Amino acid sequence: PPVDGLPELRDWFARGIGGAITGAEVLITAGGQSALATALKALAPPGAPVLVESPTYPGMLAIARAAGLRPVPVPVDRDGVRPELLAQAFRATGARLFVCQPLFQNPTGAVLSAERRPEVLRIAREAGAFIVEDDFVRRLVHDDAGPLPGPLAGEDPDGVVVHVCSLTKATSPSLRIGCLAARGPVLERLRAIQVVDQFFVPRPLQEAALELVGSPAWPRHLRTVAGELRLRRDALAVALATRLPELSLPYVPVGGYHLWARLPDGTDERALVAGALRAGVAVAPGRPYFPAEPPAPYLRLSFVAVAGTAEITEGVRRLAAARDEVLPRRLRSGGSPS
């Protein structure tokens, strides 16, 4: 196939991004992780600092470190990255790259607010930097979300934003189809890295993706997924409030497939995760999501890879049993963490 990808599939991704992006500015990749790796290699030399959200996706931190980059954390709250701290980080480090997830950020679930979006673009532009926008979970919105903000790339007339997205999470782990979109000379750098690393994505996989997204079944599938994700999110939130009230949920998102839970101060999150695994339930410790020292203990609780809400309720029951085994009574009887 064409090494940039099938033209029809590139056009489909471009329409989803919006703005002035065209199919000619899209490269088809072997999933989102591959697209992120290509972008970081193309946009920053080894040894350079790269600004990242804190907390953030551990896979992205692994990509950055494997490329010889130095991740520099910029704190996130429920409205996304904090612009004043982003500007300070650019000035302090001289970084020329910021990687972010403006929609349903992993792990917090935060959405970059309407007020902050133009600020983030302006700050990057003034720093002479690129933004890598990892739009990884747009197709896993919940059915109570309402209208979503469009991709940052659709609001960027200057070629500041390099957009990454994927079909994989909304379809199957084996459908490794994603895209990179960029404007201006940076597109040639991305293409050069992509050709060296991957050459091309197999044509049968691209054809299968085109057939899927062009089918009447595609919007029905997304609606079904949206409804099921909402049910699972609510089941997990209710079960946590009932059995583990000492866990705090700073933000319950309306998209994505996990909750980010704050543990009481003093909790040994690794001991709790190990105890949960002995009880037959897998949860993720918060520590790997922080590029530097974490401010508090956290757990990331995924609700996507289970058979249904009954398994979620049982999983929380087992997590509570693990809590009883490993947490001192004072940490499980004091309500929400300070």
Side-chain angles (χ1 to χ4, degrees):
V3 293
D4 291 352
L6 298 183
E8 300 89 346
L9 190 55
R10 296 166 70 196
D11 288 344
W12 182 84
F13 274 114
R15 289 193 297 272
I17 298 167
I21 295 289
T22 68
E25 295 161 325
V26 171
L27 306 175
I28 301 301
T29 67
Q33 189 85 349
S34 172
L36 282 172
T38 297
L40 266 61
K41 285 181 184 178
L43 298 174
V50 53
L51 306 187
V52 300
E53 295 170 315
S54 182
T56 193
Y57 167 51
M60 191 281 297
L61 294 175
I63 291 170
R65 289 167 178 148
L69 305 178
R70 295 187 290 111
V72 177
V74 184
V76 170
D77 61 23
R78 65 179 299 143
D79 291 320
V81 69
R82 295 173 55 184
E84 74 282 6
L85 298 182
L86 180 65
Q88 289 174 18
F90 272 125
R91 288 194 297 269
T93 65
R96 293 294 178 263
L97 182 60
F98 171 49
V99 184
C100 64
Q101 295 174 325
L103 187 67
F104 307 132
Q105 196 259 356
N106 184 5
T108 65
V111 176
L112 186 62
S113 68
E115 295 76 21
R116 292 185 182 183
R117 290 167 66 90
E119 274 291 283
V120 168
L121 288 171
R122 178 188 62 78
I123 290 165
R125 188 182 306 114
E126 291 178 356
F130 288 103
I131 296 172
V132 174
E133 175 187 30
D134 182 9
D135 199 21
F136 75 113
V137 78
R138 179 171 296 274
R139 296 176 182 87
L140 294 186
V141 63
H142 304 170
D143 67 3
D144 59 345
L148 298 181
L152 274 182
E155 302 173 19
D156 168 37
D158 303 314
V160 168
V161 178
V162 174
H163 180 87
V164 172
C165 67
S166 170
L167 283 176
T168 303
K169 283 184 170 60
T171 55
S172 163
S174 295
L175 190 63
R176 306 301 301 171
I177 293 288
C179 88
L180 272 168
R183 308 184 71 193
V186 70
L187 182 64
E188 290 306 317
R189 285 155 56 189
L190 292 166
R191 180 183 286 115
I193 296 289
Q194 159 107 345
V195 169
V196 168
D197 283 355
Q198 301 177 30
F199 197 21
F200 60 84
V201 176
R203 185 174 191 128
L205 206 57
Q206 295 188 60
E207 295 282 7
L210 263 176
E211 184 174 345
L212 174 63
V213 299
S215 162
W218 177 241
R220 290 200 303 270
H221 167 68
L222 294 180
R223 287 193 298 270
T224 300
V225 168
E228 182 66 22
L229 288 174
R230 179 187 180 183
L231 287 174
R232 293 176 179 217
R233 178 204 68 198
D234 291 348
L236 179 55
V238 168
L240 290 172
T242 302
R243 288 192 173 269
L244 291 159
E246 70 274 18
L247 269 65
S248 169
L249 296 176
Y251 180 58
V252 178
V254 292
Y257 49 91
H258 63 266
L259 296 181
W260 182 240
R262 165 82 144 82
L263 296 168
D265 289 335
T267 301
D268 184 338
E269 64 182 41
R270 285 206 276 184
L272 181 55
V273 168
L277 200 56
R278 288 194 298 272
V281 60
V283 295
R287 178 66 185 86
Y289 291 82
F290 290 92
E293 191 63 25
Y298 287 90
L299 288 182
R300 181 180 180 273
L301 307 167
S302 175
F303 50 80
V304 72
V306 295
T309 55
E311 281 196 8
I312 290 172
T313 303
E314 174 62 14
V316 173
R317 186 195 69 78
R318 296 184 186 194
L319 182 59
R323 179 273 318 268
D324 293 343
E325 174 191 336
V326 303
L327 259 65
R329 184 173 296 277
R330 63 180 177 80
L331 292 181
R332 42 189 165 97
S333 59
S336 299
S338 59

